[in-house]
């Protein structure tokens, strides 16, 4: 229980430090916390969609290669730990692109 509390205290401290940095050092304006969280959840959702699409496409491609050729491609390739952060990066890039396209 103490470790979980320590975890959330660390998250709170870095969140407050980020808020302070944004407001004081970088001069960000005041924005609704609900709007910021909604935007963050949209980007996270896009990342999850990319993750599912990457796993699905990789699985279908591996099964197709197994079926159509004599080569073997293991499905474990698409359960690599790096797939999650890369998919989240894809989602973040997609959301950023969408937001910048609205401005132009």
């Amino acid at each position: 229980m103490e470790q979980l509390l320590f975890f959330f205290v660390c998250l709170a401290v870095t969140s407050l430090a980020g808020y302070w940095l944004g407001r004081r050092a970088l001069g960000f304006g005041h924005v609704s916390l609900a709007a910021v969280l909604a935007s963050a959840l949209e980007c996270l959702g896009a990342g999850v969609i990319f993750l599912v699409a990457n796993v699905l496409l990789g699985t279908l491609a591996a099964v197709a290669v197994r079926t159509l050729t004599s080569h073997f491609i293991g499905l474990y390739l698409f359960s690599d730990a790096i797939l999650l952060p890369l998919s989240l990066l894809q989602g973040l890039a997609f959301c950023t692109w969408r937001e910048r396209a609205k401005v132009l």
Side-chain angles (χ1 to χ4, degrees), residues 29-43:
H30 180 72
V31 179
S32 165
L33 180 61
V36 170
L37 289 177
S39 181
L41 287 175
E42 285 178 14
C43 288

Side-chain angles (χ1 to χ4, degrees), residues 58-59 61-67 69-78:
T59 302
V63 169
V65 168
R66 286 180 179 183
T67 303
T69 69
S70 61
H71 292 92
F72 178 81
I73 296 180
L75 295 178
Y76 61 86
L77 179 67
F78 302 102

Side-chain angles (χ1 to χ4, degrees), residues 27-97:
F28 293 172
H30 180 72
V31 179
S32 165
L33 180 61
V36 170
L37 289 177
S39 181
L41 287 175
E42 285 178 14
C43 288
L44 183 61
V48 169
I49 290 170
F50 274 104
L51 175 64
V52 169
N54 288 331
V55 170
L56 183 61
L57 178 64
T59 302
L60 290 174
V63 169
V65 168
R66 286 180 179 183
T67 303
L68 300 173
T69 69
S70 61
H71 292 92
F72 178 81
I73 296 180
L75 295 178
Y76 61 86
L77 179 67
F78 302 102
S79 66
D80 196 311
I82 195 66
L83 188 61
L84 177 62
L86 289 177
S87 297
L88 293 175
L89 182 62
Q90 284 178 302
L92 179 61
F94 184 81
C95 285
T96 303
W97 177 30

